[in-house]
Amino acid sequence: MSTVLQLSHFIDNAWVPAASGEQFEVYDPSTEQVIALAARGTAPDVDKAVEAARRAFPAWRDAKPRDRAALLFALANALRERAADFAHWEALNSGKPLARARREILGTARYFEFYAGAADKFYGDSIPLGGDYVDFTLREPLGVTAHIVPWNFPLNMIGRSVAPALAMGNTAVVKPAEQTPITALKLAELALELGFPAGVYNVVTGYGEEAGAPLSRHADIDGITFTGSVEVGRLIMKAAAEHIHSVVLELGGKSPIIVFEDADPAHAAAETAKAIYSNSGQVCSAGSRLLVHERLKDDVLEALVARSQTLRVGPALEDPDLGPLISREQFERVQGYVETGQQEGARVILGGTRPPERARGLFFSPTILDNVRPEMRVAQEEIFGPVLSVITFQDESEALKIANGVHYGLVAGVITNDLGRALRMARGLHAGQVFINEYFAGGEETPFGGYKQSGFGREKGWEALYNYTQVKNIAIRIR
Ligand code: NAP
Ligand code: MG
């Protein structure tokens, strides 16, 4: 990349520089080169964006749902047409492999399509109160919704929460992660081109403390959707408490993939590899703990190591199996966890640092930690890298106890051909989604969200519509 992009906020259908006049650097994690300079947003920029979203709200709310839907369908189609361009920028800016970036852009289009389809179909109820009354409910939008998103699925997560919000008649202010602002702004270009009214979709770029915090504390937002770390999730909840805003939190996990003794080791290994290495393990729902029956452990690990050794780690645009980690900070964090694991008594049986052929950069090898015990930090804390912790169990009840023995509860995988066992596990697991015999099974249609410290509220599917509406009951005495 020779030219460095100049990025502005997108507020009220206009490109606006930071009130402070300052910019911050945006990198390509595959090369650690600066690829863009973005507007460094602070409270005055956030105020402007929230004001624009507020002004836009009444007309957007009162528009015919099918007219809102038409714009959202158009956005979905435009995203599909330009998937290659969007995928290029997403891969360049986030380090994710090009083919994966493309799938995520198509997934984003699918969110806009799915929720466009819901815009004119999310009905209220009519409630029988006897002959003296007519009673019904209205599903009304919240108003101005704030969306604070992380860097691991930059545009896809915007689609996931902004599409249902807009479909239901809310307006939106988005604060992308500091690492990955580009595609949020490219989406703004599309919205502008397609004729979205001013103020419906706004983007303020910047740092969490400087732009995210004033957005989360803003008195004139009505709801906030946050995806990221537990620590920042706590701050978001505290900020929302001040003005009693509604909150959706999606805070990551330490999800188990549980392999029973009747499983096919090759299938279990393939599902485990997908669960932990996708997006270089930088996935909130990554399967980062392999819980394997002690009798099957050697077979599964043998197949998993063999498979892991075939994976290519490299620059995003070369479409490897694993791209780089997002930042030096994240690289050091992941490396630090491998060392912590070793100090705790785990054994590194694969990887553990950069691949030998990549002496520099943010590349991290597929890594397997064996002999992990459930109480170790590497079995309890989110690492957010391609690092798998392997734990054995002897029976179903022990598997369930270990699986549930963490503060998180986002998803869980179960590999078994025993239907009764699969369903007993599914019932017992503390997790918002359970995948049986295929990790990450489901899609834009299936509700997603956490138990325990993984958060609350459900995104994706029909369920998400409840986050972005409130019910008003209207009771009428007719005689
Ligand atoms: P993070 O700090 O929680 O960032 C998520 C988003 O919140 C970003 O847009 C961030 O802006 C913003 N933010 C940060 N501080 C804020 C504040 N005080 N008020 C309002 N918004 C704020 O996560 P991270 O630093 O990128 O990653 C740290 C760890 O979080 C990871 O190692 C991983 O364990 C976890 N994580 C989880 C997910 C998930 O999908 N659940 C995603 C990413 C990270 P900045 O980008 O400027 O910080
Ligand atoms: Mg942060």
Side-chain angles (χ1 to χ4, degrees):
M1 280 297 295
S2 48
T3 53
V4 171
L5 290 181
Q6 298 285 331
L7 305 174
S8 307
H9 303 311
F10 182 74
I11 300 173
D12 217 10
N13 274 4
W15 303 102
V16 184
S20 66
E22 289 187 43
Q23 295 181 306
F24 63 99
E25 293 179 329
V26 178
Y27 296 88
D28 165 5
S30 298
T31 61
E32 295 181 84
Q33 299 294 308
V34 175
I35 52 170
L37 291 170
R40 184 164 163 182
T42 53
D45 304 297
V46 169
D47 288 346
K48 222 187 233 178
V50 173
E51 283 160 22
R54 175 61 60 196
R55 275 195 305 276
F57 173 59
W60 185 249
R61 172 196 60 203
D62 294 339
K64 281 201 169 65
R66 67 178 181 199
D67 292 341
R68 281 200 303 266
L71 278 172
L72 296 170
F73 276 125
L75 195 57
N77 290 336
L79 267 175
R80 287 200 179 102
E81 277 162 22
R82 299 196 205 167
D85 181 48
F86 271 83
H88 168 86
W89 287 108
E90 197 77 313
L92 187 74
N93 188 193
S94 71
K96 62 178 74 242
L98 194 55
R100 153 168 287 277
R102 188 182 162 81
R103 285 198 300 279
E104 287 177 20
I105 300 303
L106 296 176
T108 310
R110 178 73 187 124
Y111 282 125
F112 281 103
E113 178 185 73
F114 181 90
Y115 291 111
D120 55 357
K121 299 174 193 68
F122 196 53
Y123 307 133
D125 295 315
S126 161
I127 298 167
L129 290 179
D132 293 346
Y133 302 92
V134 171
D135 188 287
F136 62 97
T137 62
L138 293 178
R139 292 203 168 275
E140 297 187 334
L142 305 181
V144 176
T145 55
H147 305 256
I148 298 184
V149 276
W151 41 262
N152 51 342
F153 295 88
L155 190 67
N156 195 271
M157 281 192 194
I158 289 175
R160 182 166 98 182
S161 69
V162 168
L166 298 192
M168 293 296 104
N170 302 276
T171 56
V173 178
V174 175
K175 206 299 274 177
E178 66 192 57
Q179 296 88 348
T180 54
I182 296 178
T183 47
L185 294 165
K186 288 195 71 68
L187 188 72
E189 267 172 35
L190 275 193
L192 189 59
E193 206 178 300
L194 294 168
F196 274 69
V200 167
Y201 173 73
N202 306 276
V203 180
V204 175
T205 55
Y207 294 126
E209 297 74 14
E210 295 179 0
L215 178 59
S216 67
R217 282 199 298 265
H218 205 288
D220 202 31
I221 62 169
D222 299 289
I224 183 159
T225 300
F226 171 80
T227 308
S229 60
V230 174
E231 303 78 70
V232 177
R234 266 194 201 100
L235 297 177
I236 299 290
M237 248 182 114
K238 283 188 187 143
E242 182 62 27
H243 304 290
I244 321 290
H245 295 150
S246 86
V247 187
V248 176
L249 295 179
E250 207 271 85
L251 307 179
K254 189 72 187 177
S255 300
I257 172 162
I258 307 163
V259 178
F260 283 98
E261 63 268 38
D262 68 302
D264 167 16
H267 175 233
E271 291 304 315
T272 304
K274 179 175 68 182
I276 187 61
Y277 302 139
S278 294
N279 212 40
S280 297
Q282 303 171 117
V283 181
C284 42
S285 52
S288 53
R289 293 184 292 153
L290 170 63
L291 274 46
V292 58
H293 191 277
E294 58 182 9
R295 276 205 299 279
L296 209 66
K297 175 182 157 183
D298 291 348
D299 291 351
V300 172
L301 282 190
E302 191 185 330
L304 180 61
V305 168
R307 198 181 181 88
S308 307
Q309 283 167 337
T310 68
L311 299 175
R312 291 167 303 124
V313 183
L317 296 181
E318 291 175 18
D319 198 26
D321 298 300
L322 286 81
L325 300 180
I326 187 72
S327 61
R328 194 142 289 273
E329 183 189 0
Q330 197 63 21
F331 183 94
E332 276 155 22
R333 182 187 152 103
V334 173
Q335 184 73 76
Y337 267 113
V338 173
E339 280 146 31
T340 302
Q342 285 172 303
Q343 283 154 17
E344 290 177 308
R347 196 159 70 87
V348 177
I349 61 168
L350 189 77
T353 186
R354 292 187 178 84
E357 69 279 13
R358 300 208 175 268
R360 284 178 294 119
L362 306 179
F363 302 98
F364 210 94
S365 292
T367 296
I368 302 176
L369 302 179
D370 193 8
N371 296 340
V372 173
R373 290 189 313 278
E375 68 280 8
M376 290 180 182
R377 285 185 59 198
V378 291
Q380 291 286 329
E381 297 174 18
E382 188 171 48
I383 298 176
F384 234 60
V387 180
L388 180 73
S389 297
V390 182
I391 304 171
T392 54
F393 66 85
Q394 295 182 343
D395 59 30
E396 205 176 300
S397 71
E398 192 190 6
L400 193 60
K401 188 163 166 244
I402 298 170
N404 287 342
V406 294
H407 290 305
Y408 289 108
L410 190 53
V411 307
V414 179
I415 312 279
T416 179
N417 292 310
D418 179 335
L419 182 62
R421 167 170 280 164
L423 292 176
R424 284 192 300 277
M425 290 298 290
R427 275 214 179 143
L429 284 162
H430 301 159
Q433 274 196 326
V434 178
F435 308 125
I436 294 171
N437 290 332
E438 184 190 319
Y439 206 86
F440 296 131
E444 289 78 14
E445 305 83 351
T446 49
F448 176 79
Y451 280 43
K452 302 196 281 190
Q453 289 187 15
S454 291
F456 53 76
R458 292 291 175 269
E459 300 200 76
K460 305 171 83 165
W462 203 253
E463 281 291 323
L465 299 171
Y466 296 96
N467 298 330
Y468 301 105
T469 52
Q470 50 195 337
V471 170
K472 180 179 283 171
N473 189 81
I474 299 174
I476 310 159
R477 173 121 198 167
I478 58 169
R479 67 179 170 212

